[in-house]
Amino acid sequence: MDYSYPFSIEWSTEEIIDVVSFFEAIEMAYENGINRQELLTRYRKFKQVVPAISEEKTYFREFEEESGYASFPVIKEMKAGTDDQKIKLKKK
């Protein structure tokens, strides 16, 4: 991993950890797959820190530019999935 995670200097340490944990889950979805419930838990924590959709899109875009991992397709798959489903996508 030769990139950094997007975050705001205004967030607390716990909030930064929650956001980084969410982006690590996005990485897992592309690399090995991740359980839908685990991803959903991390996404909910992320949304507590970043509740606005416009901000979410900004952080998703920054993360994709840095890492090459697109967050939106993972979230779309998560929302359409079932409880014990494994979310696994291929990187473009």
Side-chain angles (χ1 to χ4, degrees), residues 17-80:
I17 290 169
D18 287 343
V19 170
V20 169
S21 177
F22 167 71
F23 285 119
E24 287 174 341
I26 297 297
E27 292 170 352
M28 285 187 248
Y30 284 98
E31 293 172 4
N32 301 315
I34 185 169
N35 178 279
R36 180 183 174 273
Q37 283 303 119
E38 176 64 24
L39 178 60
L40 187 58
T41 298
R42 293 184 190 204
Y43 180 65
R44 286 179 177 151
K45 287 182 179 182
F46 171 81
K47 289 303 290 178
Q48 288 176 349
V49 179
V50 184
I53 292 174
S54 60
E55 274 188 292
E56 176 183 290
K57 288 179 180 180
T58 299
Y59 288 115
F60 282 9
R61 185 176 55 254
E62 288 177 11
F63 180 66
E64 185 173 2
E65 288 171 1
E66 283 283 326
S67 68
Y69 294 115
S71 301
F72 181 73
V74 176
I75 299 308
K76 185 176 176 183
E77 186 77 19
M78 177 195 74
K79 288 181 177 179

